[in-house]
Amino acid sequence: MAKAQRKLQVVEKTEPLKLDLGCGPRKREGFTGVDAIKFDGVDLVQDLRKPWQWEDGSVEEVHCSHFLEHLTGFERVHFFNELYRVLHKEDKARMNETR
């Protein structure tokens, strides 16, 4: 019996998923803007205090500026748990906050 020929399937390379969380109207260039309010530049409206929609390890870079101070202590724990879950293990997150 002849071996069945297998065809290789072409897989398209997707752009790395880079999120600007709590971006408001000033989304970082090259990032997907995420905010709870639909400002100009926001690509996805999502409440980051709820479970996030991204798959485990699917995000390559995160930027978050002046957002964490708006969360309670428990909400911050949730935020960092979700960030840890979705961020690819060898990639990075950048947080900027006020003092």
Side-chain angles (χ1 to χ4, degrees), residues 26 33 55 59 65:
R26 290 181 230 125
E55 298 291 325
V59 178
S65 181

Side-chain angles (χ1 to χ4, degrees), residues 11-30:
V11 177
E12 291 184 35
K13 181 176 165 96
T14 59
E15 290 294 317
L17 182 54
K18 296 162 56 170
L19 302 176
D20 188 347
L21 301 177
C23 67
R26 290 181 230 125
K27 176 179 72 172
R28 192 174 183 102
E29 187 175 335

Side-chain angles (χ1 to χ4, degrees), residues 17-46 53-54:
L17 182 54
K18 296 162 56 170
L19 302 176
D20 188 347
L21 301 177
C23 67
R26 290 181 230 125
K27 176 179 72 172
R28 192 174 183 102
E29 187 175 335
F31 284 69
T32 298
V34 181
D35 203 293
I37 300 169
K38 180 62 177 159
F39 294 109
D40 287 339
V42 171
D43 301 301
L44 178 64
V45 175
Q46 177 167 348
Q53 65 181 5
W54 301 284

